[in-house]
Amino acid sequence: MQFNIEDVGATKKKLSVELPAEMVQAELDSALKMVRKGAKIKGFRPGKVPAQIIKRYYGPQVEQDVAQKLINDALPKAIDEADLHMVAPPVLEESDLQEGQPFKFAVTIEVRPEFEIDGYEGLALTREKFNITDEMVAAKLEELRQAYATTKSVEEDRAAAKGDLVVVDYKAYIAGEVVPNGSNPNYQTEVGSGGFHPDFDAALEGLTKGQTKEVVLTFEEKHYNPKLAGQEVRFEITLKDIKEKILPELNDDFAKDLGQDIKDMEGLKDLLRKDMTENETGRVEHQVREQLKDELLKLVEFEVPESLVAQELDSMMASLKFNLQRSGLSMEAMGVSEAKLREENRGKAADRVRLGFMLDKIAEKKEIKVEDQDIEGKIMEMAREAGQSPEIVREYYNKNNMLDSLSDSIREEKTLNYLLETANIEDAEPTASAEAESDENDD
């Protein structure tokens, strides 16, 4: 066997292989012999059909099968001898099998990028300080109180006021046309909350039951619903019901009713403070981790295999679709183009792939390995989070041949932990954007 390697890109090679004519002929003869044994051709007894007739009837198929067998046998050996580190299945580009001639074929192979990385230890990072104050706990307690409020329809004949819960029937129109999925016969909102649109809520104040009102709203360019973004929308709103909140008293009985072995209000406050501290700690540590990844990506630039970028994009799109489905939405219903989203997220996907190669290289340099107890610990952790037994989780990963990918993710996590341990992390006061992010997470 002879082979030749040609660079066709930073992460792509063309591997050309040539097998000797004697090997090809031996395989052809063997394949034709097997076919001849079972061939049933009118006028000939089984096993007695002349070779030339076998070739006439079965020659093209036999050549195709032999070519595939020769490729399957020779390609792994050629890749191993050429020391090529594949990241995706090879793609056949050329194949030419002729009787009495050497067999030549060529494949393109995407390989691991070649790069060097230094300066990954001692990276300068900042960790945001935070402090859970009594005022923050009191605000969280009020949120909890609002969540456990009950409602009742207002019996008196009065107009809707700020703070009331109202049920409305609305229809949306753009340029006189009904907006697809832009109607809701039983939409409940709090007057003055601004949850849907500030001007929408303002239009509800002062309405009485059964009253209809039209309001024209302009939605911002970055509105989450692309069908409404930047649009002037006319709404027909009919007030169907006015409800008032009945808030529970913040006392020991309220605290006890929440369960979790809470005995009084002080115990509830302690629990809220503990949960808020854990949430903030998790948010800040996630922030540091993302900062570390950003700093790593600044250390070195290199091209990554396009097939892995495509796989990462597939994963991102699948995650997006799943999250939309959980909310009862879809990309089609929101008028979002998957092709456009893939293009917009290509850079992010490439960075994720690049980071994976970088962490793998660092793990090799620092000899970071995954032990059996690491895998077992991760399975136990996932089982606890999913409320499943470890045996079920372990069987799932075994059955779907996912243990290698689990091991890779654990190794990556251990590498990130090592880099965080070696980083120079300075505590810093929170920025306005960080405080806004904290408020969004609380919501």
Side-chain angles (χ1 to χ4, degrees):
M1 177 178 66
Q2 297 178 340
F3 63 84
N4 179 62
I5 302 171
E6 178 186 348
D7 288 335
V8 291
T11 60
K12 189 175 286 187
K13 310 281 187 183
K14 181 177 181 180
L15 176 63
S16 301
V17 180
E18 180 177 317
L19 301 176
E22 312 86 70
M23 178 188 293
V24 176
Q25 192 60 53
E27 288 290 349
L28 281 171
D29 291 344
S30 175
L32 286 167
K33 187 176 181 180
M34 290 295 295
V35 170
R36 188 182 184 191
K37 285 182 179 179
K40 295 180 179 179
I41 297 177
K42 190 174 180 180
F44 298 95
R45 287 181 295 163
K48 300 298 182 179
V49 183
Q52 289 303 318
I53 294 179
I54 291 291
K55 284 184 181 181
R56 189 192 314 157
Y57 275 84
Y58 300 102
Q61 184 61 51
V62 167
E63 288 180 0
Q64 184 177 330
D65 293 344
V66 167
Q68 190 60 57
K69 181 179 184 303
L70 289 169
I71 292 172
N72 292 344
D73 291 345
L75 186 55
K77 297 175 184 175
I79 290 172
D80 186 55
E81 288 183 28
D83 196 27
L84 296 176
H85 302 285
M86 290 195 308
V87 297
V91 177
L92 184 65
E93 300 290 347
E94 304 168 18
S95 174
D96 183 24
L97 187 143
Q98 297 181 25
E99 189 172 2
Q101 298 293 323
F103 175 46
K104 299 177 182 178
F105 69 90
V107 296
T108 53
I109 299 174
E110 284 195 292
V111 297
R112 294 169 60 91
E114 295 180 3
F115 65 96
E116 290 299 327
I117 179 171
D118 294 299
Y120 48 82
E121 293 175 317
L123 290 171
L125 307 175
T126 57
R127 178 187 285 115
E128 178 195 321
K129 294 179 183 178
F130 69 87
N131 178 38
I132 306 300
T133 64
D134 291 343
E135 291 76 16
M136 294 167 69
V137 174
K140 184 61 68 174
L141 191 59
E142 181 58 28
E143 286 181 21
L144 194 60
R145 185 187 184 208
Q146 293 286 339
Y148 278 86
T150 57
T151 63
K152 70 173 183 178
S153 294
V154 174
E155 294 181 3
E156 60 183 295
D157 186 15
R158 69 169 176 83
K162 194 171 183 178
D164 284 335
L165 288 175
V166 295
V167 179
V168 300
D169 177 355
Y170 73 78
K171 296 180 178 65
Y173 301 84
I174 295 178
E177 298 292 329
V178 175
V179 177
N181 301 314
S183 301
N184 192 330
N186 291 292
Y187 177 65
Q188 180 170 291
T189 185
E190 181 179 331
V191 179
S193 67
F196 182 72
H197 190 290
D199 293 338
F200 185 93
D201 285 343
L204 301 177
E205 195 168 352
L207 287 181
T208 56
K209 292 181 184 179
Q211 187 176 355
T212 297
K213 184 176 184 178
E214 287 192 5
V215 60
V216 177
L217 310 177
T218 300
F219 287 83
E220 61 182 10
E221 293 289 345
K222 294 184 178 179
H223 192 267
Y224 66 87
N225 187 336
K227 289 183 179 178
L228 302 180
Q231 297 287 341
E232 189 174 80
V233 186
R234 178 172 63 87
F235 285 89
E236 289 181 1
I237 307 168
T238 301
L239 185 69
K240 298 177 70 174
D241 195 11
I242 301 173
K243 299 180 179 182
E244 60 181 353
K245 286 183 182 180
I246 303 173
L247 295 171
E249 289 187 36
L250 292 177
N251 53 29
D252 290 345
D253 288 336
F254 174 74
K256 290 175 185 177
D257 288 343
L258 296 178
Q260 302 186 62
D261 297 323
I262 302 172
K263 297 179 180 179
D264 50 31
M265 280 300 297
E266 287 306 310
L268 175 56
K269 290 178 182 178
D270 289 342
L271 180 62
L272 289 176
R273 186 181 297 274
K274 178 175 177 289
D275 287 346
M276 293 170 72
T277 300
E278 289 177 354
N279 288 338
E280 281 297 280
T281 300
R283 181 185 67 82
V284 169
E285 290 307 314
H286 174 75
Q287 193 179 64
V288 173
R289 220 171 187 77
E290 292 304 303
Q291 189 185 154
L292 170 65
K293 294 176 183 179
D294 291 340
E295 292 301 314
L296 281 172
L297 287 168
K298 295 176 184 177
L299 295 178
V300 60
E301 272 285 345
F302 55 89
E303 289 187 36
V304 292
E306 185 56 35
S307 63
L308 296 190
V309 176
Q311 287 178 26
E312 186 62 37
L313 280 168
D314 288 343
S315 176
M316 293 168 72
M317 292 302 105
S319 178
L320 173 61
K321 290 176 182 177
F322 176 74
N323 289 331
L324 286 173
Q325 286 172 357
R326 288 175 62 185
S327 303
L329 300 170
S330 68
M331 286 198 284
E332 293 77 13
M334 294 184 68
V336 177
S337 163
E338 181 172 343
K340 184 179 179 182
L341 277 178
R342 290 179 75 93
E343 190 57 39
E344 290 175 350
N345 285 281
R346 183 169 296 278
K348 185 185 292 185
D351 279 346
R352 289 185 182 181
V353 174
R354 187 176 297 108
L355 183 66
F357 280 118
M358 294 170 71
L359 292 173
D360 187 54
K361 174 83 79 172
I362 294 169
E364 287 178 4
K365 284 189 171 187
K366 307 310 295 187
E367 297 183 349
I368 297 173
K369 303 182 185 303
V370 176
E371 309 295 343
D372 289 344
Q373 59 264 32
D374 294 324
I375 295 176
E376 191 60 27
K378 190 64 176 178
I379 287 175
M380 296 288 285
E381 178 187 331
M382 290 188 295
R384 283 195 301 273
E385 292 176 352
Q388 299 278 2
S389 71
E391 290 74 21
I392 290 176
V393 176
R394 193 180 299 108
E395 182 183 356
Y396 173 80
Y397 274 84
N398 273 317
K399 184 178 179 180
N400 292 280
N401 299 314
M402 293 171 61
L403 281 177
D404 285 345
S405 63
L406 178 61
S407 178
D408 289 343
S409 67
I410 294 172
R411 187 175 185 232
E412 188 171 290
E413 195 69 14
K414 291 180 75 172
T415 306
L416 283 170
N417 290 338
Y418 165 76
L419 293 173
L420 283 172
E421 290 169 5
T422 66
N424 292 317
I425 304 178
E426 180 181 348
D427 290 331
E429 295 299 329
T431 61
S433 60
E435 289 177 341
E437 180 186 345
S438 176
D439 291 340
E440 287 177 7
N441 289 339
D442 286 344
D443 292 341

